[in-house]
Amino acid sequence: MSPFTVTRTLPADADHAALRTDALHGLTADPKRLPPKWFYDARGSELFEEITQLPEYYPTRAELEILLAHAGAIASVSGARTMIELGSGSSEKTRHLLRVLTELRAYVPVDVSESALVQAGHVLREQYPELSVHALVADFQGGLVLPETPGPRLVAFFGSTIGNLLPAERAAFLESLREALSPEDTLLLGTDLVKDEATLVSAYDDAHGVTAAFNKNVLLVLNRELGADFDVADFEHVALWNPRDEWIEMRLRARRSLTVKLTALDLEVPFTAGEEMRTEVSTKFRPEGVRAELAAAGLELRQWWTDAMGRFALSLSGPAGDRAR
């Protein structure tokens, strides 16, 4: 059986230190904000899996439809011998590609959760015993140091997670990724597309309240990790479409005036009645915008696929001016 290794590039206390920094800066900002990555403790991950099964939440189904229809073309164009997946989680979508990437020799899942990487890695080894799995515990925004694996390499970034980054963050991320790519490497990128406001808002404000629970879960993370005393009943879930920036915003709105204490930060945070704290931005893209952002980072769009309803896109790009195939 081929090797299975786990490499940690994050310090053991990196998550806690980052949470302290984000909470201190975000809760004292005007307006208040928190990064969406803090949704995903064990309970938050369970809630997100529930969200992906909801009738209102189309992105997961739409992206899977594209993968099932075009996996062969992705394999043919990329010619990948190594696949690197950013934010891999359970690696569920990856398995549809692994079946058709006949030249693949190595898989590098990248995630901040070591437990998720180990669990997914063991499953993949059973299914593909000849595949070398090099799991990497890392933050994909923190500068990746990838293991030595055979090229060409296919970097996959599914789920339109790139939409959670603000424009300057996206630009910096794509530029750093371009620097890490060799001429024959490719990027497979998932992007949710602009569509009517009702469809977008309902995807982030479902009738069963699962997304609301997911949003409020960040408060429970702060309570547990930073000794905060948030009462989730004091906040309501808000999802709205920002037409200027073309993104969905998730917020938490204070139902009354209150003050929250965070003992680990020696911090008191006042909220006025009706005050909102932004917890997520999810940008929706247009084809010309994706092409322009890739080009600005030195990447050339080579293939573009959407689901039958045109709701979601997968694109394949590579270093501009460099074609190994």
Side-chain angles (χ1 to χ4, degrees):
M1 182 174 282
S2 294
F4 172 46
T5 62
V6 179
T7 303
R8 172 178 279 275
T9 63
L10 289 175
D13 62 346
D15 279 357
H16 190 70
L19 176 59
R20 290 173 63 95
T21 299
D22 287 344
L24 179 61
H25 290 169
L27 293 174
T28 57
D30 184 19
K32 296 179 177 67
R33 61 185 183 272
L34 287 170
K37 65 181 178 180
W38 301 118
F39 290 137
Y40 297 96
D41 64 350
R43 178 56 181 153
S45 296
E46 290 174 358
L47 287 167
F48 184 71
E49 287 302 312
E50 289 184 40
I51 288 171
T52 64
Q53 304 301 315
L54 294 170
E56 298 97 328
Y57 194 79
Y58 61 85
T60 301
R61 292 187 298 276
E63 187 173 42
L64 182 57
E65 176 189 323
I66 302 168
L67 273 176
L68 292 174
H70 300 288
I74 294 167
S76 176
V77 174
S78 69
R81 299 183 69 208
T82 293
M83 180 173 173
I84 301 164
E85 184 178 2
L86 306 181
S88 58
S90 65
S91 301
E92 188 65 36
K93 294 172 185 173
T94 309
R95 294 164 196 171
H96 300 290
L97 279 177
L98 295 181
R99 284 196 285 268
V100 297
L101 288 168
T102 56
E103 300 300 316
L104 202 69
R105 298 295 176 265
Y107 172 55
V108 183
V110 181
D111 204 279
V112 295
S113 172
E114 184 170 352
S115 60
L117 288 170
V118 170
Q119 182 177 359
H122 285 309
V123 171
L124 288 173
R125 287 188 83 204
E126 292 177 2
Q127 296 176 340
Y128 303 95
E130 301 305 314
L131 185 67
S132 295
V133 179
H134 304 277
L136 189 59
V137 184
D139 183 346
F140 62 78
Q141 284 186 267
L144 288 174
V145 179
L146 297 171
E148 290 293 329
T149 55
R153 299 176 299 177
L154 171 66
V155 179
F157 197 20
F158 293 125
S160 201
T161 304
I162 195 169
N164 294 146
L165 306 179
L166 296 173
E169 295 171 330
R170 288 201 304 273
F173 164 72
L174 289 171
E175 287 172 6
S176 68
L177 188 58
R178 167 63 185 91
E179 291 175 2
L181 296 181
S182 299
E184 73 274 14
D185 296 338
T186 47
L187 168 64
L188 182 64
L189 181 65
T191 47
D192 195 7
L193 302 178
V194 173
K195 55 190 67 66
D196 66 281
E197 181 175 350
T199 298
L200 287 167
V201 172
S202 64
Y204 293 82
D205 192 12
D206 63 277
H208 296 284
V210 182
T211 312
F214 175 70
N215 193 6
K216 293 180 183 182
N217 186 66
V218 73
L219 303 180
L220 300 178
V221 171
L222 295 177
N223 286 353
R224 183 183 65 247
E225 301 296 332
L226 299 180
D229 61 355
F230 281 99
D231 184 343
V232 296
D234 286 334
F235 292 84
E236 61 181 320
H237 167 67
V238 178
L240 56 85
W241 172 242
N242 180 330
R244 182 193 65 186
D245 296 310
E246 294 192 321
W247 64 43
I248 285 283
E249 292 186 21
M250 290 211 313
R251 303 176 183 176
L252 291 170
R253 178 185 295 149
R255 297 179 185 271
R256 63 181 180 88
S257 296
L258 63 128
T259 298
V260 176
K261 297 179 181 179
L262 293 89
T263 57
L265 300 178
D266 191 24
L267 180 67
E268 292 189 353
V269 181
F271 286 83
T272 59
E275 183 178 357
E276 295 179 346
M277 174 171 63
R278 191 176 73 190
T279 53
E280 182 178 71
V281 161
S282 184
T283 300
K284 307 308 169 187
F285 296 89
R286 299 180 185 273
E288 61 272 21
V290 175
R291 184 186 294 273
E293 290 195 31
L294 291 170
L299 294 163
E300 178 186 26
L301 182 65
R302 298 179 183 171
Q303 297 286 337
W304 177 267
W305 302 281
T306 68
D307 64 297
M309 296 179 65
R311 299 167 296 178
F312 198 96
L314 277 178
S315 60
L316 195 69
S317 60
D322 295 317
R323 287 185 180 272
R325 301 182 63 77

